[in-house]
Each structure stands twice: as C-alpha cells, then as structure tokens.
Amino acid sequence: MDKIERTLGQLFEGRDFEKEYQEVKEKVLSYEPIRQFLTENKADISEQMINQNISNLYEFMTQDQNFKEKKETLMPGYAPKLVLNGEFMTVTYYPTPEKIEQDKRRAVERRIRSLYMPKQVVEASLDQFYTDEDARQYALIEAFNFLKVYEESSATMVKGLFIHGSFGTGKSYLLGAIARELALRGVSTTLVYLPEFMREIKQSISDNTVGEKIQFAKETEILMLDDIGAEAMTAWTRDEVLGAILQFRMQEQLPTFFSSNYNMAQLENHLTFSQNGTEEQLKARRIMERIRFLSKEIELNGTNRRN
C-alpha cells in the first residue's frame, strides 16, 4: 500500500491542476466555432453552465479540429455539432454529405444480388448505355417502359424483357443497368449468369442444397437470367430446375428478364435437344410458353463492343 501511495505521489507531485484547468478552459473558449456558439446563445448561457459543460466543449473542439484536418474522429463519416439542450451543451454527430452518398450507394448495392456476374455489369448504368444505333435506342425505350409500368402497377402482371442479339452488343450490360435503376427506386433484383448457376446446381446435389438455391431463384422480387442458351442443358436441369423456377414465377406473376444469343424461336430449338441428344419438342415448348408469358422479346444488335 505504501508503495502505491509513493508512486501516486510522484506522479502528481509538482502539478498545478487549477492552472492546467484554466489553460484548457482558455483554449476551449478561444476556439472560434465555440466562441460563435456562445455568442449566438449568450442569452441562455451562464458562466456556471460553461464551467459545468467544459468537458463537452473540449470534446467538440478536439473532434471538430480532427474532422477539419481529416484525422480520425470518434465517429468516422460524421461531423460534430454543438447543441444547447436546457442547461447542457452537448455534442451531437451528423452524417456528412459524403457519408450520406456512401450509404445510398451501399443501399443500392444491397438491392442488387449478383451470382457470377462481372463487376462492370453489376455497376452498369442506363446513362452509360450507348444509343448510337436505332436498335439500341429501341431497347433503351423498352427498358424505360418497363420501369414506368412496373412503378405504376400494383396488381397486374408486368412482363420483363427477353433481350437477344449478337455477341458483345451489351445485352448483359442492359440487364445490369435496369437492375441498378430498380435498386435506386427501392426494388431488389437478382442477376444470375445462368450457365454457371446450372453448373453449381449440379454440384449441389452432393450437399443437398439444390432445393434452397432453386427456391431463392423462384422467390426473388425480380429475376434476371443472363445468357440463357449458353449452358450445357440436361433434361433434368431444363425441366426440374429452369422449368420449376419459371413455373413458379409465372404463377406468382413475378417479373423475369432474360438475355440470349438466340431469339425465342432459336432458343426453343436449342432446348429441344438435351445433352445426350434426345429430342423433346413438347418439353422445350413448355419452357418457351413460360418464357413468352414472363417476357417481351426485343432484339439488341449493333457493334460488338468487346472488340
């Protein structure tokens, strides 16, 4: 016990706490934003209130200085502000414009769920969609038509788009741009690169997660299936996976989008033949009936922008 007392005595020996307090107080009260605050509220602030709230004023001074000098603060992304609340002067923190914008971006990103889609598609924007060719202008008009009708519709079925065309014309990009515009309007979308999704479905048989993955695709608010027709389709993935997803979405009238290098007639022919070469026209026709019910066919041709 004696040793602790000696240590404490050595620590505080020779310190004039009253002098240190007055120096801190003088520094705080001379800080220009605090001087302005006290002047603006002088009718409601007494000397006693200042003394009682000096620690809060000191917090504001240090945090405000750090914020202005872009140093670390107690609440990154938030700026300090002095507020008079009765006999108390408290420090509150409000989000900066940068923080608000960052939160908006994150909220938009959370509404776009992506499976195996490239970053440039997920971050696509309708403002950046090239409309230098007539076919592209028509596709953009159809995209805006969907957005308008979907926003105004509360109960009726709204068809998505079946976007087909040559390689590199921006079909996937347009899907991503529509998804981002929907996210800005508070609507959640799931973008799926279908060939990779089908590969994962096959691999999921071993861990019994096929059902939950199919259910996820069934129930998402808006589903976009990219590059349908490029996958190696078996009779099982065509009928029990794709067919089940489309059947559910047709029954629930959930908007569904597609992109493909095939038009609808060509895709039906593609779906007719399973991986082992079996020809099943009736089953392919059933899939196409669901696709036609869910989406409107539009062509997107033009310059290959990957080259």
Side-chain angles (χ1 to χ4, degrees), residues 8-278:
L8 290 175
Q10 292 170 359
L11 180 64
F12 295 115
E13 185 178 1
R15 293 187 63 178
D16 187 340
F17 290 102
E18 179 62 27
K19 181 181 178 182
E20 290 180 13
Y21 170 79
Q22 291 302 326
E23 288 175 351
V24 170
K25 180 179 177 181
E26 182 180 343
K27 186 177 180 181
V28 167
L29 298 182
S30 65
Y31 187 59
E32 186 57 31
I34 292 177
R35 286 180 60 187
Q36 291 178 4
F37 176 82
L38 295 176
T39 300
E40 291 169 2
N41 297 277
K42 62 182 179 180
D44 301 308
I45 297 177
S46 64
E47 183 67 26
Q48 181 180 359
M49 286 173 59
I50 292 174
N51 291 331
Q52 289 174 339
N53 289 274
I54 199 70
S55 61
N56 289 340
L57 294 175
Y58 179 78
E59 177 190 339
F60 171 77
M61 180 187 73
T62 56
Q63 294 305 301
D64 191 57
Q65 288 174 334
N66 286 350
F67 176 76
K68 289 175 178 175
E69 295 172 8
K70 301 187 183 303
K71 295 179 180 178
E72 186 176 351
T73 61
L74 291 173
M75 296 186 66
Y78 291 80
K81 182 180 180 181
L82 268 179
V83 176
L84 185 61
N85 185 12
E87 295 185 356
F88 297 96
M89 287 175 274
T90 58
V91 185
T92 61
Y93 294 86
Y94 63 94
T96 62
E98 294 79 11
K99 171 67 174 172
I100 293 171
E101 186 60 31
Q102 182 186 61
D103 288 345
K104 285 181 180 178
R105 286 198 303 270
R106 287 178 177 172
V108 167
E109 289 165 2
R110 283 195 295 270
R111 294 189 191 108
I112 303 175
R113 288 168 289 191
S114 169
L115 298 177
Y116 325 111
M117 298 294 289
K119 184 179 180 181
Q120 66 181 37
V121 170
V122 177
E123 296 179 350
S125 167
L126 289 175
D127 294 337
Q128 301 298 319
F129 182 74
Y130 289 105
T131 55
D132 50 344
E133 298 169 76
D134 289 344
R136 302 180 67 78
Q137 292 178 13
Y138 175 72
L140 186 62
I141 289 170
E142 288 296 331
F144 278 112
N145 282 342
F146 168 83
L147 292 166
K148 182 176 184 295
V149 173
Y150 186 74
E151 191 170 43
E152 295 173 352
S153 174
S154 57
T156 57
M157 167 68 183
V158 183
K159 284 191 173 189
L161 300 177
F162 181 96
I163 306 168
H164 69 90
S166 305
F167 292 97
T169 55
K171 300 181 295 296
S172 302
Y173 186 94
L174 183 55
L175 289 183
I178 296 170
R180 178 157 293 273
E181 187 61 34
L182 285 164
L184 290 169
R185 303 180 186 201
V187 180
S188 296
T189 301
T190 300
L191 277 158
V192 178
Y193 180 60
L194 192 58
E196 190 61 40
F197 179 71
M198 288 303 188
R199 276 193 287 272
E200 182 175 320
I201 287 291
K202 294 173 188 175
Q203 293 169 0
S204 299
I205 295 173
S206 60
D207 59 13
N208 296 318
T209 60
V210 171
E212 63 187 63
K213 289 172 182 174
I214 293 176
Q215 198 66 25
F216 171 75
K218 283 181 178 180
E219 296 177 350
T220 188
E221 189 171 356
I222 291 183
L223 177 65
M224 296 183 172
L225 298 176
D226 184 47
D227 217 1
I228 185 171
E231 69 288 336
M233 192 78 74
T234 66
W236 179 75
T237 54
R238 179 194 61 199
D239 302 330
E240 303 303 323
V241 180
L242 181 61
I245 291 169
L246 298 182
Q247 178 66 24
F248 181 90
R249 298 190 67 80
M250 184 176 72
Q251 290 173 343
E252 299 300 318
Q253 299 189 355
L254 297 172
T256 309
F257 288 71
F258 307 85
S259 77
S260 180
N261 293 323
Y262 297 126
N263 61 32
M264 284 190 178
Q266 292 167 336
L267 180 62
E268 181 170 343
N269 182 65
H270 170 76
L271 294 173
T272 297
F273 298 93
S274 61
Q275 208 170 19
N276 61 8
T278 304

Side-chain angles (χ1 to χ4, degrees), residues 290-303:
R290 295 163 187 166
I291 291 175
R292 289 188 175 97
F293 178 88
L294 289 165
S295 61
K296 177 181 179 179
E297 183 176 16
I298 65 169
E299 185 175 13
L300 180 60
N301 276 321
T303 306

